[in-house]
Amino acid sequence: MNAFELSVLIQPAALIFCVTFAVGFYVLRNPGAAIVVASLKTFIYIIYFGWIFDGSITFSDDWSYLYRGQVLYSAGIRFFNVFDIIQYWDFMRNVAGGEHFIYYLYNCYAIGLFGYGYYAPVALNIVLTAVIALLGVKIVSKEFRLSRSLANLFFLFLLFHPDIVAWSTITNLKDTLVLTLHVILLYGISCFFNNRYRTAFTAISISIAILLQIRFYVPLMFLAAFILLISIQKK
C-alpha cells in the first residue's frame, strides 16, 4: 500500500489548517502563533499520509470502520442529514452488526467530505484535537484560574501531546472521538457548577447521547462521580 497523492490531501489539510488556526487565534490571541500551530498540525498530516503511510500501522477495526462507512455512503447517507439517520436507522444497525454504529457513520461523513481513503476519517480526528485543546483550556482556566500565559501553554500541551497526536494522526480509531466527548462532558459539568445551566445541559446531553452509542459505561461512571461529588459538597 502506497502513500496518497497530495491532490486528495489538499481539502482535508485545508480544513485542519483553518480549524486549528481559528481555535489557535481564539486562545492565543496571536495570529502569528496561530499560523505556526496550524501549519505544524497540517504539516504532520501531509507528511504522514503523503510520504510515510504504507498501511503497516493499522488494525482490523479501523479498516472495518472505513469499509462499512463506505457501505453507508453508497446507500445514500449524507453529511449530517437527520432525516437520513432516521430513514436508515435499521440499515445502519445491520451494517454495524448492532446498536453501536456511530463511528461507522463518522467514517461515512468523512468519506462524503474528502473521498474514500484512510486519510479521510483521520483528518476529522485531527480537527477534533483542536476542539479537545479548546475545551480543555476553557475548563482548567475556569476551575484553576490560570493566567493567560499558563493557559496558552496548557493549550499547546493538549494540542501537541504525543499520545493525542499519535492516536489522532496515525490510526482511524474511535479513541479521539471518545476523548472529545469526555472533554465535552467535563466542560458541561464545569458549566453546571458555574451556573451556566443552558450550556451545561446542551454539552452534557450531546456527549451522553453519543457516548451511549460508543462507550455506554462512560456516562454511568460520570454520573456516579457526579452524585458522589454532590453528596460530599452537601456534607
Side-chain angles (χ1 to χ4, degrees):
M1 184 175 295
N2 299 320
F4 296 95
E5 295 289 334
L6 291 180
S7 58
V8 304
L9 300 177
I10 291 175
Q11 188 176 351
L15 180 64
I16 292 170
F17 180 87
C18 291
V19 172
T20 308
F21 172 78
V23 172
F25 181 70
Y26 176 81
V27 175
L28 302 173
R29 303 295 183 186
N30 184 319
I35 289 174
V36 170
V37 297
S39 298
L40 185 54
K41 293 286 280 190
T42 307
F43 178 76
I44 293 171
Y45 174 76
I46 291 177
I47 289 297
Y48 182 71
F49 283 102
W51 279 274
I52 299 175
F53 179 82
D54 60 3
S56 60
I57 310 178
T58 57
F59 306 90
S60 59
D61 286 349
D62 45 4
W63 289 108
S64 175
Y65 295 138
L66 185 63
Y67 171 73
R68 298 187 190 191
Q70 175 65 22
V71 172
L72 296 181
Y73 184 77
S74 298
I77 298 175
R78 295 297 180 261
F79 188 63
F80 289 129
N81 188 326
V82 177
F83 297 104
D84 278 353
I85 295 176
I86 296 172
Q87 179 182 353
Y88 290 99
W89 187 273
D90 290 335
F91 176 73
M92 290 188 292
R93 290 175 64 248
N94 290 333
V95 170
E99 299 291 339
H100 306 299
F101 57 76
I102 287 294
Y103 200 69
Y104 299 108
L105 187 61
Y106 184 86
N107 275 252
C108 170
Y109 290 156
I111 292 167
L113 286 171
F114 307 127
Y116 182 80
Y118 198 93
Y119 65 90
V122 171
L124 288 187
N125 284 341
I126 296 173
V127 169
L128 288 183
T129 64
V131 178
I132 292 169
L134 172 63
L135 294 182
V137 77
K138 279 180 169 287
I139 294 168
V140 298
S141 295
K142 188 68 175 180
E143 299 301 325
F144 300 104
R145 303 184 186 280
L146 295 185
S147 64
R148 175 166 292 277
S149 59
L150 285 178
N152 289 348
L153 286 175
F154 186 73
F155 172 75
L156 296 175
F157 170 78
L158 286 178
L159 196 62
F160 294 105
H161 190 285
D163 285 348
I164 296 176
V165 171
W167 283 102
S168 64
T169 307
I170 296 176
T171 60
N172 172 31
L173 296 174
K174 66 178 72 171
D175 299 78
T176 303
L177 177 59
V178 171
L179 178 58
T180 304
L181 295 169
H182 275 70
V183 175
I184 293 174
L185 187 52
L186 286 171
Y187 179 70
I189 294 171
S190 174
C191 290
F192 176 84
F193 284 109
N194 285 282
N195 302 320
R196 297 175 58 194
Y197 299 118
R198 186 174 299 177
T199 303
F201 176 78
T202 302
I204 292 172
S205 298
I206 291 173
S207 59
I208 287 179
I210 301 175
L211 278 169
L212 287 173
Q213 274 279 337
I214 302 177
R215 300 271 171 85
F216 70 91
Y217 53 84
V218 172
L220 300 178
M221 295 172 64
F222 269 88
L223 178 61
F226 181 75
I227 293 174
L228 180 61
L229 179 60
I230 293 295
S231 300
I232 293 173
Q233 286 187 338
K234 286 185 177 180
K235 293 180 180 180

